[in-house]
Amino acid sequence: MFSGRTGESIDMIYWIEGKYITDALKEVNHFMRDWRVDSVKDIDTRTIDIMAAAHSLLDVSEPYTLLSGYRSPQTNAMLRARSRGVAKNSLHMKGQAADLRLKNRSVQQVFKAASACRAGGVGKYSGSNFVHMDCGVVRSWGR
């Protein structure tokens, strides 16, 4: 389901017959860690579900490229100092958000798929070629 900036990739079943698979979630948590400080946090399964549902709607076999999953407070502060688009209390710091892209689908297509899930926040960052997905309040933003 993902490839990452560090060259890692992960493709697995994380849920079967209404139950999450603990070992698979541990791998997801590690993959979505803050690679800048090598810090791992449990990723909210609601976020994983939104990403998986949007991916399914897009009907692609290509994995997402994960730009940002969990962010430590230090990393979030550093990114916030560099960009006005980084929230002070970002859901990334709670393990509840991901910034993703697909090579074979446009930002608009990924944004529409994630929005169709009506399950959290979806941000469109066309200039940077990624979509933000989170399990917070249902809302959307971006150009």
Side-chain angles (χ1 to χ4, degrees):
M1 177 158 66
F2 308 105
S3 62
R5 299 186 121 195
T6 58
E8 295 172 281
S9 64
I10 187 172
D11 185 20
M12 70 176 62
I13 296 169
Y14 70 96
W15 184 86
I16 294 176
E17 297 178 6
K19 294 186 181 180
Y20 292 101
I21 302 167
T22 303
D23 289 342
L25 291 178
K26 285 180 185 176
E27 285 188 52
V28 170
N29 295 339
H30 177 77
F31 185 82
M32 292 183 69
R33 74 191 179 283
D34 182 339
W35 56 270
R36 289 174 178 92
V37 296
D38 200 28
S39 180
V40 177
K41 183 166 185 79
D42 287 348
I43 302 300
D44 193 310
T45 54
R46 296 172 300 169
T47 298
I48 300 167
D49 292 342
I50 293 165
M51 296 184 308
H55 195 266
S56 179
L57 288 172
L58 289 160
D59 193 31
V60 294
S61 57
E62 163 196 1
Y64 285 120
T65 297
L66 176 70
L67 304 177
S68 185
Y70 167 64
R71 286 187 205 146
S72 66
Q74 304 93 309
T75 294
N76 201 70
M78 178 270 297
L79 293 173
R80 198 167 142 70
R82 292 183 182 178
S83 171
R84 59 188 171 93
V86 177
K88 182 177 183 179
N89 295 311
S90 172
L91 291 177
H92 285 277
M93 294 190 299
K94 296 179 179 182
Q96 294 181 333
D99 296 337
L100 307 159
R101 75 169 51 122
L102 287 170
K103 290 179 190 170
N104 295 312
R105 294 291 186 268
S106 69
V107 168
Q108 181 63 25
Q109 289 170 312
V110 177
F111 176 81
K112 280 186 170 184
S115 296
C117 297
R118 300 192 190 286
V122 183
K124 179 172 38 170
Y125 294 87
S126 298
S128 299
N129 190 29
F130 74 87
V131 173
H132 169 97
M133 298 179 201
D134 69 51
C135 64
V137 174
V138 176
R139 67 211 185 285
S140 64
W141 65 93
R143 297 178 180 222

